[in-house]
Amino acid sequence: MSGHGSPTAPIPHSSDTRLAIVAATWHQEVMDGLLAGALRGAAEAGIAEPTVVRAPGSFELPVLADALARDHNAVVALGVVIRGGTPHFEYVCAAATDGLTRVGLDHGVPVGFGLLTCDDEKQALDRAGLPGSVEDKGYEAASAALTTAHVLAGLAARREGGA
């Protein structure tokens, strides 16, 4: 399992951070777990009501993340793609990954990457943050986005302060 070596630092308190979460709707049980984990991360950071938007699928995550990045300090993108017998898996995973990377770079807004790319449903359930899961990728994606937003705010403050 890839969770070995995960950071253990708490999410910085950032109640003034405008957080958006965009979550796909395919694989409802997995998505419910991922979304709950991201919301738990937001609450830990002191963000009571992040913007939550649902996407039809993982392919649509980048366009919605792009729209949300225009007026939020951080975006969390959640989805799951499970390998099948066609090249669809590779196309969707590559397009979503490239698109989410572009959103972050184009807007200078961190995008927490909570897109599960799994060989089978068991791998997705193991990462969904559900009872019995070994990992909580929704929480991890929120933590990454919020921690990066905190670092970016600190860098901006240093520039403004002349440091």
Side-chain angles (χ1 to χ4, degrees), residues 92-153:
V92 172
C93 294
T97 300
D98 293 347
L100 293 170
T101 300
R102 184 172 148 200
V103 168
L105 294 173
D106 287 356
H107 293 282
V109 170
V111 177
F113 189 78
L115 175 63
L116 303 183
T117 56
C118 301
D119 288 324
D120 55 45
E121 187 175 2
K122 182 183 180 331
Q123 288 180 348
L125 291 168
D126 282 345
R127 291 164 175 78
L130 297 165
S133 295
V134 258
E135 294 181 282
D136 187 347
K137 294 298 185 183
Y139 177 88
E140 289 178 22
S143 175
L146 291 167
T147 300
T148 304
H150 180 76
V151 171
L152 287 171

Side-chain angles (χ1 to χ4, degrees), residues 22-26 30-31 34 57-58 61 77-81 114-117:
V22 57
T25 54
W26 278 81
V30 173
M31 291 310 305
L34 291 174
S58 295
L61 292 173
L78 305 172
V80 59
V81 184
L115 175 63
L116 303 183
T117 56

Side-chain angles (χ1 to χ4, degrees), residues 10-117:
I11 299 174
H13 192 270
S14 53
S15 59
D16 58 339
T17 298
R18 292 178 320 276
L19 174 67
I21 301 169
V22 57
T25 54
W26 278 81
H27 305 286
Q28 183 175 345
E29 183 180 8
V30 173
M31 291 310 305
D32 287 351
L34 291 174
L35 183 55
L39 290 170
R40 198 168 42 261
E44 186 176 307
I47 301 169
E49 294 186 36
T51 302
V52 177
V53 174
R54 297 308 295 255
S58 295
F59 187 80
E60 293 79 18
L61 292 173
V63 71
L64 292 172
D66 184 79
L68 292 163
R70 297 170 196 272
D71 58 2
H72 290 82
N73 305 103
V75 176
V76 177
L78 305 172
V80 59
V81 184
I82 298 176
R83 188 178 304 279
T86 69
H88 177 75
F89 175 87
E90 284 81 10
Y91 297 135
V92 172
C93 294
T97 300
D98 293 347
L100 293 170
T101 300
R102 184 172 148 200
V103 168
L105 294 173
D106 287 356
H107 293 282
V109 170
V111 177
F113 189 78
L115 175 63
L116 303 183
T117 56

